[in-house]
């Protein structure tokens, strides 16, 4: 074939590739919310973290033992395995250093409250981050009894090893159901998922995480209400609140809470009375906002109506799967199909040009 013919073929095939990629981009754009897609509330922070050691607050949970106290920790980096108890002024009132077999600060992303084997309040730390998008063969969760006294101390934690049934993935969200103490991990992906751990965790073996539902895209934290009636999953832009009366799987959205703009919002906690969410962000002196939730909005048949940027417009309840709009897996298939066609076209043109 002549060079002119090769050029003509390439010109004819370009629209095909463009159409394929355009078709992929449309659902992908619908599935991926823009930070400006929903109104960000103008709310003054409830408090700011004042401890200079806390530079990347990546998880937060309200203490079960101590009124007005929150537990938080740093993300990955040059940080030790430490948790900080902070009060409602943002001041650190105690530092707890974890020790024990398998304990390390590889990529701490979440913290939750639950119970230990004796039923006493316990803190669960999620070493569940994976910046290699599934490169780690497993992740870990560390559990220790919540201290009765808020003093600086070193405690021995129990290490639980977890592995995803459908392959490794990145995650930044974790929560524990206070009703049955079951742990859940929410992956941080376009087609995110809610993964349930076994009913009881085994410190000796590998605990398999099984996908039980879909989740909003790019989930950065999650939390259960203290009574277990609701749970919330946040992204960088908004939090979705679910009715957990019938469990986590297929839970219905009852409120959507837009979050204030922040540098890198990665923490979420329920207030002790369940009436509000506390949302924080990474960074020095990071702010923490208190945002009321309306968990009764779905009782009349409508959704929360707060305009969650991660969910389709029009209100209405829905499961975690419905919250993320069009299936992002379809977009991925179309995108890679378009890339494949483009690669074949380019290779064909190169061969024909050499022959010409």
């Amino acid at each position: 074939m002549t060079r002119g013919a090769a050029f003509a073929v390439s010109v004819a095939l370009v629209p095909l590739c463009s159409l394929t990629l355009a078709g992929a981009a449309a659902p992908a754009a619908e599935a991926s919310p823009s930070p400006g897609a929903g109104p960000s509330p103008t709310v003054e922070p409830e408090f700011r973290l004042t401890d200079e050691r806390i530079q990347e607050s990546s998880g937060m949970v309200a203490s079960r033992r101590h009124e007005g106290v929150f537990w938080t920790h740093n993300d990955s980096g040059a940080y030790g395995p430490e948790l900080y108890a902070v009060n409602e002024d943002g001041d650190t009132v105690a530092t707890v250093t974890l020790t024990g077999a398998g304990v390390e600060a590889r990529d701490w992303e979440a913290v939750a409250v639950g119970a230990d084997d004796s039923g006493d309040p316990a803190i669960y730390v999620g070493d569940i981050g994976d910046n290699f998008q599934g490169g780690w063969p497993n992740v870990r969760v560390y559990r220790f009894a919540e201290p009765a006294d808020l003093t600086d101390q070193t405690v021995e934690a129990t290490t639980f090893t977890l592995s995803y049934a459908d392959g490794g993935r990145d995650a930044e969200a974790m929560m524990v159901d206070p009703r049955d103490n079951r742990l859940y991990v929410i992956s941080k992906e376009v087609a995110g998922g809610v993964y349930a751990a076994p009913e009881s965790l085994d410190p000796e073996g590998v605990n398999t995480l099984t996908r039980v539902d879909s989740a909003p895209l790019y989930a950065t934290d999650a939390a259960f209400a203290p009574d277990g009636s609701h749970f919330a999953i946040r992204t960088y832009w908004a939090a979705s609140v679910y009715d957990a009366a019938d469990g986590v799987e297929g839970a219905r959205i009852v409120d959507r809470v837009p979050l204030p703009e922040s540098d890198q919002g990665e923490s979420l906690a329920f207030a002790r009375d369940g009436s509000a969410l506390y949302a924080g962000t990474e960074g020095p002196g990071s702010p923490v906002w208190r945002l009321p939730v309306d968990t009764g909005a779905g009782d009349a048949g409508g959704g929360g109506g707060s305009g969650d940027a991660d969910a389709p417009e029009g209100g209405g309840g829905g499961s975690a799967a419905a919250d993320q709009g069009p299936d992002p897996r379809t977009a991925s298939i179309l995108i890679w199909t378009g890339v494949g066609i483009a690669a074949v076209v380019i290779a064909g043109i190169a061969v024909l040009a050499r022959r010409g």
Side-chain angles (χ1 to χ4, degrees), residues 60-62 70 221-224 267-271 276-280:
M60 180 174 291
V61 68
F70 297 86
D221 206 358
F224 254 101
S267 61
L268 187 74
F270 260 100
L277 292 171
Y278 286 86

Side-chain angles (χ1 to χ4, degrees), residues 189-282:
E189 303 171 285
V190 173
V194 179
Y195 289 82
E199 292 183 5
S200 59
L201 295 174
D202 178 8
E204 302 298 329
V206 177
N207 300 270
T208 301
L209 292 167
T210 305
R211 184 177 177 123
V212 296
D213 207 344
S214 297
L217 54 82
Y218 301 128
T220 61
D221 206 358
F224 254 101
D227 62 359
S229 60
H230 298 83
F231 66 90
I233 301 175
R234 73 158 292 169
T235 66
Y236 290 119
W237 310 282
S240 298
V241 182
Y242 300 83
D243 183 348
D246 296 324
V248 171
E249 184 174 357
R252 181 172 57 92
I253 299 170
V254 295
D255 197 14
R256 299 183 175 96
V257 183
L259 301 177
E261 291 186 8
S262 59
D263 292 335
Q264 192 168 347
E266 293 193 2
S267 61
L268 187 74
F270 260 100
R272 282 171 61 97
D273 62 1
S275 65
L277 292 171
Y278 286 86
T281 181
E282 293 189 1

Side-chain angles (χ1 to χ4, degrees), residues 9-199:
V9 170
S10 66
V11 171
L13 289 175
V14 166
L16 174 60
C17 298
S18 301
L19 287 172
T20 304
L21 292 172
E30 293 172 6
S32 303
S34 165
S40 296
T42 303
V43 182
E44 288 297 318
E46 187 77 0
F47 59 87
R48 291 180 179 273
L49 301 178
T50 61
D51 194 328
E52 293 184 355
R53 295 173 298 171
I54 307 174
Q55 296 291 309
E56 297 182 29
S57 175
S58 188
M60 180 174 291
V61 68
S63 168
R64 184 166 292 178
R65 285 188 181 273
H66 307 283
E67 180 76 33
V69 170
F70 297 86
W71 293 97
T72 189
H73 57 82
N74 282 307
D75 201 330
S76 60
Y79 306 108
E82 296 177 337
L83 286 98
Y84 306 92
V86 299
N87 61 22
E88 292 177 314
D89 293 324
D91 300 326
T92 299
V93 294
T95 301
V96 174
T97 302
L98 300 191
T99 186
V103 173
E104 63 176 319
R106 186 171 70 181
D107 196 349
W108 287 17
E109 292 290 357
V111 60
V113 292
D116 59 18
D117 293 336
S118 62
D120 293 326
I123 305 296
Y124 290 72
V125 181
D127 197 352
I128 57 176
D130 188 343
N131 293 326
F132 301 100
Q133 301 299 316
W136 300 119
N138 53 60
V139 294
R140 299 174 187 149
V141 170
Y142 312 120
R143 186 190 70 191
F144 66 97
E146 183 173 12
D149 298 320
L150 291 176
T151 59
D152 292 349
Q153 55 193 286
T154 297
V155 302
E156 185 170 356
T158 301
T159 298
F160 300 101
T161 301
L162 302 94
S163 180
Y164 295 91
D166 55 359
R169 56 205 62 246
D170 187 24
E172 294 186 359
M174 182 186 74
M175 59 186 183
V176 175
D177 190 334
R179 298 167 297 184
D180 60 7
N181 211 44
R182 193 163 193 174
L183 182 141
Y184 295 87
V185 175
I186 297 89
S187 64
K188 183 184 180 183
E189 303 171 285
V190 173
V194 179
Y195 289 82
E199 292 183 5

